[in-house]
Amino acid sequence: MHVRQKLNALPRQLPELAIGSLLLLLYAPLLLHWIDGWINKSISTEHEYFSHGLIGLPFAACLVWSKRHRWQALPDRTHLGGMGLLTLGLVWYLSPLADAINLSLPILLAGLCLWLKGIPGLRLQAFPLLLVLLATPNSVPYLLIPYTLPLQRLIAGVAGFLLVQVGMPVRVDEIYLFVNDRVVEIAPYCAGLKMLFTSLYVGLILLYWTGAWTSRSKVLRLLTGILLLNLIANIIRNALLTYFHATAQEAGFYWLHDGWGGDLFSTVLLGLIVLLMRWLDRPSDETAPHPTDS
Amino acid sequence: MNSFSITVMKRGIVLFALAIVAAIVLPNYWTQGWTWNHLPQLVQVKQLKQLQQQGLALEGWQTLNQRSIEIGGHSWSAQAIVPEAEAATATPQTTTLLLLRPQTWVRDLPQVDWMDINGIQQWQTDSVQSIQFTVACPNGQSLPVKARFLRGWTEERTYAVMQWYAWSTGGSNSPTDWFWADQRTRWNKEQPLPWIAVSVIQPIAPLGNIETVRLSLETLAQQIQTTLAETALQPAL
């Protein structure tokens, strides 16, 4: 009986291995293209908005691997929506649209979960699927541009105010800062949405990792903290950039705008978010064991 | 059918579908012909660059002067035009400014062009509204265009302003509308849909009502849209 089970195990997993291999065949070149665009910034600004996929996609893969026994233990169930998603995914994969090709990956993966294990399968893999979806490059950052104007105005206003405090003759008009006959535009892509997306993504991973996502108050406090940290950091960044530009320190401007200064800035910000998470997740006084009780 | 054979069949269907798609794209491993490796090209790039350098010839209008200027980091054609009948007596108050920014490569997307113009004009704006007009095509189709209509004023002069992105099958002042039109064209014809940012700036009486020139500006806008669709945006020229 035991021997038969073991013999059965391999052919039973063979179709799943074959499905995995075919998916890899379809998507390995696409994933390499994504990674190339993230590391070498060779595709587009919109694409770089999803560079958190460099952390998120491997993490999602690890999660799926760690859940493999639970996946196999799920009874075989079929949700017809799975066939719909699989068809949509394959059609989009073959389409000429970059967004559709990219989005076909999370669609196919969700379709597979539904088709093979039904709703419980989708629920089991919901978090890794969410990580893949949020790391799939698409045009949403471009479509958000018309809505970032209030944020650009706020950043321009506060950055201008800060620079006036250090004695710089700054005039703010809408999203423009005028200093010493030089103009700095707080462009849509300077509004800090990229860093905000990355921060929220990392926040999501942290919440899942520490198990804090079950506590509503911790989730809300972390998300609020991330929003505030990003807003403050971005105002400081834009004020510094304006300062460098206005005082003709081109090297400093380039360092923070295009060089490793920007990366350093992002790293410090992400570090602060990790610290915030640890602080929120600290053992509270009520649950800590009382040393006087003996 | 027992549950085991259903399981086998379910996996078989997925394998079959994936294998067909894999067979279609497999040659790409040798040819590197992946869709994402190829940036689609604008077939109209020559006409578009010419427009950027030389401006637009409009029937019944005379160009007083034209040059390329930099606005918001992009190159625009700035062109002063007057109706032919009034060319001899043209003054700054009767001269209309036509600003055009054609897309010249495929990754150049419409963004905040109206804001950029505000930045360079240094004017106050008000009475911002959205207007719609249609343009008749030679093939009998009518193309819908949505434009921004507003008043811009400085201490010296007041202007009625009409702004929109023109593309071959329509136009809108919203980059989002262009985005979806572009996606549809790429899906159907596997070609991108080039756009041209148009800004028509006409002087009016000091702090005057823009409604007084709405009809004449709309007629001019229709003429610009038609001319652009027949020249710079025409794929088979």
Side-chain angles (χ1 to χ4, degrees), chain A residues 12 76, chain B residues 1-10:
Chain A
R12 267 180 164 246
D76 255 323
Chain B
M1 233 176 358
N2 62 28
S3 70
F4 182 71
S5 55
I6 290 177
T7 306
V8 170
M9 203 176 73
K10 263 166 55 182

Side-chain angles (χ1 to χ4, degrees), chain A residues 104-282:
Chain A
S104 72
L105 176 62
I107 290 174
L108 266 187
L109 293 176
L112 272 178
C113 292
L114 273 180
W115 179 246
L116 297 178
K117 302 282 183 179
I119 299 281
L122 187 70
R123 201 168 286 155
L124 178 69
Q125 307 290 5
F127 190 69
L129 281 172
L130 181 69
L131 288 184
V132 174
L133 176 68
L134 294 179
T136 302
N138 59 62
S139 295
V140 166
Y142 174 71
L143 295 172
L144 281 178
I145 288 180
Y147 307 101
T148 57
L149 192 59
L151 192 59
Q152 289 162 256
R153 281 205 191 104
L154 175 74
I155 293 166
V158 182
F161 175 78
L162 288 179
L163 289 173
V164 168
Q165 303 312 304
V166 297
M168 213 171 231
V170 183
R171 185 169 63 85
V172 181
D173 185 21
E174 292 265 336
I175 58 165
Y176 299 93
L177 294 157
F178 298 87
V179 208
N180 304 340
D181 294 333
R182 282 169 167 254
V183 188
V184 176
E185 180 193 350
I186 311 294
Y189 286 145
C190 306
L193 281 191
K194 177 180 169 0
M195 197 56 222
L196 180 64
F197 281 10
T198 308
S199 307
L200 289 174
Y201 195 84
V202 169
L204 207 62
I205 291 179
L206 286 174
L207 284 171
Y208 186 84
W209 183 286
T210 57
W213 58 282
T214 48
S215 154
R216 201 181 188 178
S217 80
K218 277 182 193 167
V219 172
L220 280 178
R221 276 187 289 168
L222 184 73
L223 294 186
T224 317
I226 288 175
L227 279 173
L228 285 177
L229 271 176
N230 264 278
L231 190 64
I232 295 166
N234 201 50
I235 288 170
I236 296 172
R237 193 180 103 93
N238 277 293
L240 280 175
L241 283 172
T242 311
Y243 178 80
F244 286 143
H245 190 65
T247 51
Q249 299 184 45
E250 307 303 345
F253 185 87
Y254 184 83
W255 173 73
L256 189 57
H257 197 264
D258 310 275
W260 59 270
D263 300 330
L264 178 72
F265 204 86
S266 316
T267 314
V268 170
L269 188 56
L270 289 181
L272 286 175
I273 288 167
V274 174
L275 287 181
L276 177 67
M277 183 73 240
R278 290 192 62 169
W279 181 71
L280 285 177
D281 214 27
R282 72 196 182 281

Side-chain angles (χ1 to χ4, degrees), chain A residues 8 22 27 30 49 52 60 80 83 91-92 118 136 142 157 180 193 225 232-233 237 239 242 274:
Chain A
N8 270 345
L22 281 173
Y27 284 98
L30 182 64
Y49 267 71
H52 47 250
L80 280 181
M83 195 23 75
V91 170
W92 279 22
T136 302
Y142 174 71
N180 304 340
L193 281 191
I232 295 166
R237 193 180 103 93
T242 311
V274 174

Side-chain angles (χ1 to χ4, degrees), chain A residues 12 15-16 18-19 22-23 25-26 29-30 33 43-44 46 76-78 83 86 90 92-97 99 101 112 115-116 139 142-143 145-146 149 171 173-176 178 185 188-189, chain B residues 3-4 6-7 9-11 13-15 17-19 21-22 24-26 29 34-37 72 107 109-112 115-120 122 175-176 178-180 182-183 186-188 190:
Chain A
R12 267 180 164 246
E16 256 139 18
I19 290 174
L22 281 173
L23 274 180
L25 189 73
L26 292 184
L30 182 64
H33 175 70
I43 300 178
S44 66
E46 291 82 33
D76 255 323
R77 257 183 242 179
T78 306
M83 195 23 75
L86 284 171
L90 289 176
W92 279 22
Y93 179 81
L94 290 173
S95 83
L97 296 184
D99 282 5
I101 295 173
L112 272 178
W115 179 246
L116 297 178
S139 295
Y142 174 71
L143 295 172
I145 288 180
L149 192 59
R171 185 169 63 85
D173 185 21
E174 292 265 336
I175 58 165
Y176 299 93
F178 298 87
E185 180 193 350
Y189 286 145
Chain B
S3 70
F4 182 71
I6 290 177
T7 306
M9 203 176 73
K10 263 166 55 182
R11 280 158 176 70
I13 292 173
V14 174
L15 273 173
L18 284 175
V21 176
I24 295 174
V25 299
L26 201 60
Y29 272 94
W34 302 101
T35 317
W36 48 86
N37 278 349
R107 285 235 43 91
L109 308 181
Q111 281 192 350
V112 286
M115 181 61 85
D116 288 340
I117 288 179
N118 287 347
I120 198 149
Q122 291 286 298
T176 311
W178 167 81
F179 175 83
W180 292 113
D182 177 59
Q183 295 284 304
R186 283 176 192 236
W187 185 287
N188 294 327
E190 306 201 3

Side-chain angles (χ1 to χ4, degrees), chain B residues 12-94:
Chain B
I13 292 173
V14 174
L15 273 173
F16 183 66
L18 284 175
I20 289 179
V21 176
I24 295 174
V25 299
L26 201 60
N28 289 339
Y29 272 94
W30 286 271
T31 61
Q32 288 302 308
W34 302 101
T35 317
W36 48 86
N37 278 349
H38 296 279
L39 215 53
Q41 297 300 311
L42 296 172
V43 288
Q44 301 91 336
V45 68
K46 232 175 111 184
Q47 299 116 268
L48 292 164
K49 281 192 171 154
Q50 193 184 349
L51 182 76
Q52 190 183 53
Q53 295 307 314
Q54 298 169 9
L56 181 69
L58 286 167
E59 216 185 299
W61 290 79
Q62 188 170 333
T63 299
L64 298 180
N65 57 66
Q66 187 277 333
R67 62 200 172 97
S68 269
I69 58 170
E70 185 98 342
I71 302 175
H74 303 286
S75 183
W76 289 69
S77 154
Q79 188 177 359
I81 54 171
V82 280
E84 259 166 12
E86 299 166 24
T89 56
T91 63
Q93 185 62 30
T94 60

